[in-house]
């Protein structure tokens, strides 16, 4: 079909001469249904998505299966089932070497089932050497439900069932995965994959500790069996690139001719535009309209290319004097500033003192630097972000009260600049602060 389109002479436009190739005639000629079984490792951890409530996760055996319908060679719908159990404990210390403060020693969650519906995308299935596919890289995303039963172990060894009457908790999950598939035959494929499951709840481990919701992953290996009439190929291994290659070859001559014609038109247009845009003295006015040619470089000119008069600006030096009363107002604001626990929300009783700081900044046109600090409790990255968010919250409040935003600098230092020992509650309280510096 392609060779006939190339041999026929073009008698109309370049568009009508472009050959048409039918890349895909529909799924009826292919095997579209398949089933799969797999086994692997379940773990209460994923590479992304925040921190965990227990310090050391453990891998456990998991098992699963799925039914898949291939809509197009690059897109399929897959119904998945996964079961097994999840385990973790607090035997590992935190990053600063201290043990995690928690009422629980470990947990084990039975996962009798999880079911989800996923869209599966074949990212690449091209083998340019033989123009037949036998390796596929895919990604998947979907939604579903998981049923699980957590059991917690207290530090004294007592085990506690999180659920009552041994009933399973049902929560929404969002599975996101990727994997490699190898074609072993026209019927059997080897499937290697990894799926991250994000749970819409913080009770997968039986410990609702926040702020992050729980998650778990499943790395697996399995076999996929294609269903359908003997002799038909699997749709997921269809390679439209091999057919597309023939179409691209047929279109090459047409596109080259169109490009050559466009280049000729562009050359003529460029010559015409150069006559109107040439600017010999570089003042921004073309020679065609420039009434004052030869203007010195960096000279501001009017629309006719002639120099503008240079205004004389008298600079006034403003001396800023900061009084003891000013320092008292700022010190009072620092002493009264409080936030909601682990948040950047300013408590209402802090507003009057901040209002006085805002009035001072506007009245004397002062500059202000806000430096946010935290103690060393919690995740270092989160503490750095929280200190910056709290400083930004104070800045936002002052700007809303009419202070010029350019006069305020908000910086977060996290736990890096303590002013007292973090080993005591009093010391940690002093380290959780926002410093004000006026100048």
């Amino acid at each position: 079909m392609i060779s006939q389109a190339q041999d026929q002479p073009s008698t109309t436009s370049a568009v009508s001469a472009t050959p048409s190739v039918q890349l895909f005639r529909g799924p009826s000629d292919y095997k579209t249904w398949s089933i799969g079984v797999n086994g692997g490792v379940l773990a209460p951890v994923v590479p992304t998505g925040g921190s965990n409530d227990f310090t050391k996760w453990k891998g456990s055996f998991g098992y699963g299966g799925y039914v898949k319908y291939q809509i197009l060679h690059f897109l399929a719908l897959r119904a998945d089932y996964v079961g097994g159990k999840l385990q973790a404990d607090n035997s590992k210390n935190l990053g600063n070497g201290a043990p995690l403060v928690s009422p629980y020693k470990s947990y084990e969650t039975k996962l009798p089932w999880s079911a989800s519906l996923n869209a599966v995308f074949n990212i690449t299935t091209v083998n340019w050497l033989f123009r037949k596919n036998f390796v596929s890289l895919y990604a998947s995303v979907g939604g579903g439900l998981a049923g699980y039963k957590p059991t917690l172990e207290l530090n004294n060894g007592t085990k506690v069932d999180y659920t009552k009457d041994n009933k399973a908790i049902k929560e929404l999950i969002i599975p996101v995965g990727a994997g490699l598939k190898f074609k072993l035959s026209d019927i059997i494929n080897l499937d290697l994959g990894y799926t991250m499951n994000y749970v819409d709840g913080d009770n997968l481990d039986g410990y609702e500790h926040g702020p992050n919701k729980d998650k778990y992953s499943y790395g697996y290996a399995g076999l996929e069996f294609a269903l359908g009439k003997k002799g038909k190929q699997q749709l997921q291994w269809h390679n439209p690139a091999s057919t597309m290659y023939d179409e691209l070859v047929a279109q090459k001559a047409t596109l080259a001719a169109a490009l050559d014609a466009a280049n000729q038109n562009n050359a003529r247009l460029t010559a015409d535009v150069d006559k109107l845009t040439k600017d010999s003295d570089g003042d921004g006015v073309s020679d065609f309209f420039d009434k004052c040619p030869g203007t010195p470089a960096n000279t501001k000119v009017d629309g006719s290319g002639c120099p503008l008069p240079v205004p004389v600006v008298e600079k006034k030096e403003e001396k800023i004097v900061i009084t003891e009363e000013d320092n008292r107002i700022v010190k009072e604001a620092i002493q009264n500033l409080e936030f909601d626990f682990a948040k950047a929300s300013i408590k209402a009783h802090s507003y009057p003192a901040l209002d006085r700081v805002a009035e001072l900044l506007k009245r004397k046109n002062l500059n202000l630097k806000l430096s946010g600090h935290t103690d060393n409790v919690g995740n270092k990255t989160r503490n750095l972000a929280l200190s910056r968010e709290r400083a930004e919250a104070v800045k936002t409040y002052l700007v809303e009260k009419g202070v010029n935003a350019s006069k305020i600098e908000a910086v977060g230092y996290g736990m890096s600049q303590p002013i007292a020992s973090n080993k005591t509650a009093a010391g940690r309280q002093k380290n959780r602060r926002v410093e004000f510096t006026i100048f």
Side-chain angles (χ1 to χ4, degrees):
M1 194 162 68
I2 296 174
S3 61
Q4 290 175 353
Q6 288 177 311
D7 293 340
Q8 293 174 353
S10 175
T11 57
T12 57
S13 66
V15 175
S16 63
T18 302
S20 176
V21 176
Q22 188 174 3
L23 298 180
F24 183 54
R25 295 181 296 176
S28 60
D29 294 334
Y30 300 90
K31 294 177 180 177
T32 55
W33 287 95
S34 61
I35 59 174
V37 291
N38 50 62
V41 178
L42 277 168
V45 66
V46 298
T48 61
S51 59
N52 296 315
D53 298 332
F54 289 77
T55 60
K56 183 177 180 181
W57 59 269
K58 298 180 180 180
S60 304
F61 175 73
Y63 51 90
Y66 59 82
V67 177
K68 188 181 72 172
Y69 175 70
Q70 196 75 30
I71 302 173
L72 297 170
H73 71 278
F74 61 89
L75 174 64
L77 284 178
R78 190 182 69 197
D80 287 84
Y81 165 84
V82 175
K85 68 178 180 179
L86 300 162
Q87 299 180 88
D89 60 34
N90 286 323
S91 61
K92 183 179 179 181
N93 290 339
L94 298 172
N96 59 5
L100 179 68
V101 179
S102 173
Y104 302 110
K105 179 180 180 182
S106 65
Y107 81 91
E108 178 181 300
T109 295
K110 294 179 181 179
L111 183 68
W113 60 269
S114 65
S116 61
L117 182 63
N118 298 273
V120 183
F121 304 91
N122 287 352
I123 299 174
T124 176
T125 57
V126 177
N127 183 330
W128 290 104
L129 182 60
F130 300 102
R131 296 170 71 175
K132 290 184 179 180
N133 302 322
F134 63 90
V135 180
S136 172
L137 172 65
Y138 67 88
S140 64
V141 64
L145 284 174
Y148 48 87
K149 303 174 183 178
T151 299
L152 293 153
E153 183 181 357
L154 298 173
N155 288 323
N156 61 10
T158 303
K159 292 189 176 181
V160 180
D161 288 332
Y162 179 79
T163 58
K164 296 181 179 179
D165 301 326
N166 202 32
K167 292 182 179 179
I169 301 171
K170 299 180 181 66
E171 288 284 4
L172 173 69
I173 58 171
I174 303 297
V176 180
L180 282 173
K181 194 168 292 184
F182 300 84
K183 182 180 179 182
L184 304 181
S185 71
D186 290 338
I187 300 176
I188 303 176
N189 305 316
L190 174 62
D191 190 7
L192 305 177
Y194 180 79
T195 302
M196 300 177 292
N197 296 277
Y198 297 91
V199 183
D200 187 25
D202 190 27
N203 54 15
L204 181 67
D205 53 14
Y207 186 24
E208 300 184 35
H209 191 53
N212 299 306
K213 295 182 179 180
D214 289 329
K215 56 271 177 185
Y216 64 95
S217 62
Y218 179 43
Y220 58 88
L223 294 176
E224 183 182 50
F225 303 90
L227 306 177
K229 292 183 178 180
K230 185 177 181 180
K232 286 187 176 183
Q233 299 293 319
Q234 299 181 51
L235 177 55
Q236 64 180 317
W237 297 111
H238 170 61
N239 186 358
S242 62
T243 310
M244 189 183 298
Y245 175 82
D246 297 329
E247 182 185 28
L248 293 175
V249 171
Q251 292 176 347
K252 183 177 180 180
T254 301
L255 294 176
L259 180 61
D260 183 65
N263 287 337
Q264 293 180 16
N265 289 333
N266 288 339
R268 288 192 294 269
L269 180 61
T270 300
D272 293 338
V273 171
D274 285 343
K275 295 178 182 178
L276 295 175
T277 59
K278 186 177 181 181
D279 183 12
S280 300
D281 57 7
D283 61 0
V285 180
S286 71
D287 293 350
F288 188 82
F289 301 103
D290 199 344
K291 295 182 179 180
C292 299
T295 303
N298 301 320
T299 301
K300 294 184 178 180
V301 298
D302 57 20
S304 63
C306 295
L308 292 170
V310 180
V312 179
V313 180
E314 294 182 6
K315 294 185 178 179
K316 294 183 179 180
E317 218 172 293
E318 185 178 354
K319 186 176 181 180
I320 299 175
V321 178
I322 299 174
T323 65
E324 291 184 4
E325 176 61 17
D326 298 340
N327 289 324
R328 185 193 65 77
I329 292 173
V330 173
K331 183 177 180 181
E332 181 180 294
I334 296 174
Q335 293 173 343
N336 286 279
L337 181 59
E338 288 188 16
F339 297 88
D340 290 334
F341 179 74
K343 296 182 179 178
S345 304
I346 304 173
K347 290 189 176 180
H349 69 79
S350 303
Y351 294 164
L354 290 176
D355 291 343
R356 289 189 287 274
V357 172
E359 191 60 34
L360 171 64
L361 297 177
K362 292 188 291 182
R363 175 166 47 85
K364 301 190 70 172
N365 196 28
L366 296 176
N367 295 290
L368 173 65
K369 180 178 180 180
L370 299 167
S371 304
H373 303 270
T374 69
D375 58 26
N376 68 343
V377 177
N379 180 273
K380 180 179 181 181
T381 302
R382 176 55 190 151
N383 280 343
L384 180 61
L386 179 60
S387 66
R388 183 168 57 249
E389 290 168 3
R390 286 182 170 176
E392 288 288 348
V394 176
K395 177 179 178 179
T396 299
Y397 181 87
L398 295 175
V399 171
E400 290 176 350
K401 292 298 180 179
V403 180
N404 189 342
S406 65
K407 291 284 187 177
I408 305 176
E409 178 187 9
V411 183
Y413 295 99
M415 61 178 73
S416 63
Q417 297 183 9
I419 59 173
S421 172
N422 279 307
K423 295 182 179 179
T424 65
R428 291 192 295 272
Q429 175 65 33
K430 291 181 179 180
N431 290 334
R432 296 192 295 268
R433 68 197 189 279
V434 176
E435 297 177 345
F436 290 53
T437 306
I438 55 174
F439 56 95

